[in-house]
Amino acid sequence: MSTETLKIKQNGHSLKDLSFTDIGDDHFFTGLETPLRPDAFKLSDKEKKEKIAVLFKEIMTVMGMDLTDDSLRDTPKRVAKMFIEETFSGLNPANKPKISLFDNKYQYKQMVVEKNISFYSNCEHHFVPIIGKAHVAYISSGKVIGLSKLNRIVQYYANRPQVQERLTNQIAEDLKVILDTEDVAVIIDAKHLCVSSRGIKDDTSTTITTYYGGKFNTPAKITELHNYINN
């Protein structure tokens, strides 16, 4: 779904009509795909790190920090390396995990649940952390996936500027394609530091988002899944 075909409406206005203060901490997003420019990968990772280091050094200088100090001298390079190789590595399709599928030789036809997958992401509105747990489930259509690959898929989509609703749907849609089934469920429970460490500064609330596809989109299966997760 493109950003042109999906516009989030709030009180009769499009997202473009709202100021950054209107958007605030709310979960506005413009589509399933992470917003990227067509030339997003024109620069190599090495070139990106070099440019980010220069720009972050400028940010630190503007804030009044003394970059001749031993503790701060290499901070711009460290931040650039972290952004490209770790925190936002999920922006680059080259980093998408390689997935191997196996025949469901045991003919296991019940749900497979991988719960409490820890992840760290970043809010695309303030670039501060989203910290949470993902619970992923599927029912085999003839193939099974290695359990660790479910974790890697979650991490891949988490490692980019995100909105939790988009993250939930991206994981689910990718699993549907990989596993060739609609029978996929994703539940995410996360704390947003844009809420807990700034703004309203509510340190106790968390946000839950869900995706129930195929056979999971029934009251009985939803109850069964939640029983597994909560036990």
Side-chain angles (χ1 to χ4, degrees), residues 161-208:
Q162 272 292 11
V163 176
Q164 187 172 325
E165 293 90 335
R166 182 194 293 130
L167 174 60
T168 306
N169 287 340
Q170 285 179 333
I171 295 168
E173 293 296 335
D174 201 18
L175 285 173
K176 284 164 58 177
V177 172
I178 292 169
L179 294 165
D180 191 25
T181 180
E182 294 290 323
D183 303 331
V184 168
V186 178
I187 301 172
I188 292 180
D189 186 351
K191 177 183 287 290
H192 293 245
L193 266 67
C194 62
V195 173
S196 61
S197 67
R198 54 159 302 282
I200 192 63
K201 293 188 177 180
D202 181 350
D203 191 44
T204 58
S205 64
T206 63
T207 300
I208 297 174

Side-chain angles (χ1 to χ4, degrees), residues 69-81:
D69 185 270
D70 288 343
S71 179
L72 300 179
R73 183 183 299 117
D74 292 324
T75 295
K77 292 180 181 179
R78 285 191 291 264
V79 170
K81 183 176 186 290

Side-chain angles (χ1 to χ4, degrees), residues 76-91:
K77 292 180 181 179
R78 285 191 291 264
V79 170
K81 183 176 186 290
M82 178 184 68
F83 276 8
I84 296 301
E85 296 183 10
E86 300 175 55
T87 308
F88 303 122
S89 61
L91 288 173

Side-chain angles (χ1 to χ4, degrees), residues 17-33:
D17 296 328
L18 301 177
S19 70
F20 76 93
T21 52
D22 292 326
I23 293 175
D25 304 320
D26 293 324
H27 285 205
F28 287 113
F29 66 107
T30 51
L32 178 63
E33 300 299 325

Side-chain angles (χ1 to χ4, degrees), residues 147-163:
L147 293 180
S148 68
K149 301 304 183 184
L150 297 175
N151 301 62
R152 292 185 185 279
I153 290 169
V154 171
Q155 298 296 346
Y156 171 68
Y157 286 106
N159 285 344
R160 56 179 70 179
Q162 272 292 11
V163 176

